[in-house]
Amino acid sequence: MLITDVEVEGYGRVDVRLGGGRVVGIGRRRAGRGDVDGRGGALLVGLHDHHVHLAALAAEAASVRVGPAEAGDRDGLVGALRSGPPGEWVRAVGYHESVAGELDRWVLDDFAPDRPVRVQHRSGALWMWNSAALRAAGLDGGGDGGDGRFWREDERLRGFTPPVRLDLRGVGARAAAYGITGFTNADPHPGQDLPELLSVLPQRLVVMGIGDAPVKFLLDDATLPTPGELAASVAAVRPRPVAVHCVTRVQLLVTLLALEEAGPVAGDRIEHGSVIPAETMPWLARLGVTVVTQPHFPVERGREYATDVDPDDQAHLYRCRSLAEAGIPLAAGTDAPYGRADPWAVMRAAVERSGGEAVDRRAALDLFVGEPQHPSRARRLAVDAVADLCLLHVPLQEALDLMSADVVRATFVGGRRITPTE
């Protein structure tokens, strides 16, 4: 394939030839037609979403969103839960207590008594079921079910609910429109069949816990291991890297102590890094562990964080610029469906951050162009590079000024176009 008249960093306006899944030539423009006329738009390496939950994202097509932005308040939540035919299961996602307070089976019974309802918290960690759902699943006897609140029990609950239609093709198509050529799936306990399930996606995949991908460790404060216990678990999977879910101060401290004891390896990651106190940053830098963060969360969830987060932690939320300035390897993921799936929206949020955490526009783009196995190492388009590419309608500087998915014209994986032809 020959892509003509594109802007490539370091080369200016050139023609780019692809072959065998790679970039085989970058040279001056010549007269004549190519397979794709770039019209002076920038040609970049494709974006990689370094932290996403693909099956859950695909299930959104069969779900009702009931977060603060969608449901708004109690009346909006009730209307959403009652919107389908009586008797049919309702799968609601994105809930936060600011909508209608804490939910349990009895509150949900009052909201929607005539159908099985299950509501997932925005964190993805908690499901709340009403009595009709518990009865339909056979979980309402012998004390099983209790108040209808299930913490981190997705695996057990999966067999008790009707199959959910997964719109993976839609996920792939929408991601291609964003310029995404690869995903790192961050589920903590992936089934061995998950790569096959996700194989319908046109993007490249890294599935944590499978093959040579990082092994995911999910920490919760209530069941937190000691640093020695976590270090032993990390040592048991070496030489593979680990990706440790850290959303609280204590989780980060336990993880750093464990990595110190076990010894870090290339590719070790902190997922989220929701709270990173300033005094831990030299430690992170010394260990060389990469932080894969979500800089958009303080922008999207600022109102809720103002009341939910301990005041002592407010200044340390989802650091971005301060991590980079401290020499800590940094990348980003959308955390979709628990965050917006649009990486360009995440970039805008990173640029607009307050409290000294805003990054410049190029640095925001680089959060999503890292190598899949080493997210902080930014890829650049060059001869012999894998032809995972994103063609824009406009030159790079204009794209950075706009910072919108609207600038994406075409996406290629291994030299094959995965967006519709014009």
Side-chain angles (χ1 to χ4, degrees):
M1 177 183 290
L2 178 63
I3 306 176
T4 62
D5 190 17
V6 288
E7 179 197 67
V8 175
E9 276 190 288
Y11 293 90
R13 287 178 69 166
V14 293
D15 295 346
V16 175
R17 186 173 294 278
L18 314 179
R22 292 188 171 276
V23 178
V24 296
I26 303 175
R28 63 185 180 86
R29 286 184 288 160
R30 298 179 180 274
R33 296 186 53 167
D35 299 287
V36 178
D37 181 356
R39 305 171 194 163
L43 186 65
L44 312 174
V45 296
L47 306 183
H48 190 97
D49 189 338
H50 295 288
H51 186 113
V52 64
H53 301 274
L54 291 164
L57 181 58
E60 278 207 318
S63 308
V64 179
R65 290 206 61 85
V66 293
E70 298 87 10
D73 55 18
R74 180 187 183 281
D75 290 343
L77 174 63
V78 171
L81 298 181
R82 295 181 179 179
S83 61
E88 288 193 3
W89 277 81
V90 176
R91 183 183 192 272
V93 297
Y95 183 76
H96 182 266
E97 290 79 4
S98 61
V99 173
E102 288 198 358
L103 303 182
D104 57 27
R105 67 184 294 178
W106 299 287
V107 173
L108 290 172
D109 287 350
D110 183 49
F111 289 173
D114 62 343
R115 68 204 67 199
V117 169
R118 54 185 176 129
V119 180
Q120 187 183 45
H121 192 270
R122 182 174 67 185
S123 66
L126 175 67
W127 281 98
M128 298 152 283
W129 291 31
N130 72 350
S131 295
L134 293 168
R135 287 193 298 269
L139 293 175
D140 200 25
D144 198 7
D147 60 4
R149 291 167 63 88
F150 298 95
W151 177 262
R152 300 251 188 244
E153 294 195 62
D154 291 61
E155 288 184 276
R156 181 170 81 94
L157 296 177
R158 197 168 292 127
F160 292 103
T161 59
V164 175
R165 182 178 68 86
L166 300 181
D167 182 22
L168 285 164
R169 295 190 186 279
V171 168
R174 288 187 290 274
Y178 295 141
I180 294 175
T181 58
F183 294 110
T184 294
N185 190 78
D187 295 351
H189 304 293
Q192 290 299 312
D193 60 343
L194 184 60
E196 182 178 359
L197 175 69
L198 300 179
S199 65
V200 301
L201 294 166
Q203 286 83 9
R204 296 186 191 273
L205 295 171
V206 175
V207 179
M208 286 186 182
I210 302 293
D212 60 355
V215 177
K216 177 82 176 282
F217 285 86
L218 180 65
L219 302 184
D220 285 313
D221 285 1
T223 57
L224 197 64
T226 66
E229 290 169 340
L230 182 57
S233 297
V234 170
V237 304
R238 292 303 196 210
R240 294 173 67 186
V242 297
V244 188
H245 167 104
C246 292
V247 297
T248 66
R249 183 185 295 244
V250 67
Q251 289 170 20
L252 178 67
L253 293 174
V254 167
T255 298
L256 294 178
L257 288 165
L259 289 175
E260 189 81 70
E261 181 176 337
V265 302
D268 281 343
R269 303 160 47 133
I270 299 293
E271 303 301 310
H272 308 302
S274 306
V275 180
I276 299 182
E279 59 269 22
T280 65
M281 291 199 288
W283 196 0
L284 274 166
R286 179 168 54 80
L287 290 172
V289 61
T290 298
V291 175
V292 179
T293 188
Q294 287 73 48
H296 52 311
F297 279 2
V299 176
E300 292 181 3
R301 305 176 177 183
R303 185 180 66 179
E304 293 87 1
Y305 282 172
T307 56
D308 293 354
V309 176
D310 189 298
D312 289 341
D313 290 338
Q314 294 279 350
H316 310 303
L317 285 173
Y318 293 96
R319 291 181 178 274
C320 202
R321 180 176 179 174
S322 59
L323 295 180
E325 291 179 340
I328 296 165
L330 185 65
T334 64
D335 200 24
Y338 311 115
R340 290 185 64 179
D342 178 357
W344 296 92
V346 178
M347 294 177 214
R348 286 197 305 274
V351 169
E352 295 167 0
R353 287 285 300 274
S354 60
E357 291 300 333
V359 298
D360 66 40
R361 291 174 182 272
R362 182 55 206 243
L365 175 63
D366 283 348
L367 294 172
F368 286 95
V369 299
E371 297 175 8
Q373 295 286 11
H374 299 283
S376 67
R377 297 180 188 171
R379 295 167 290 136
R380 294 288 185 261
L381 201 160
V383 174
D384 203 38
V386 174
D388 294 351
L389 307 171
C390 175
L391 175 62
L392 307 184
H393 287 289
V394 296
L396 178 58
Q397 188 55 57
E398 187 174 345
L400 292 176
D401 290 341
L402 293 169
M403 204 145 272
S404 164
D406 291 340
V407 302
V408 176
R409 179 179 161 202
T411 305
F412 305 83
V413 173
R416 180 178 64 87
R417 186 169 183 161
I418 62 171
T419 43
T421 55
E422 296 164 305

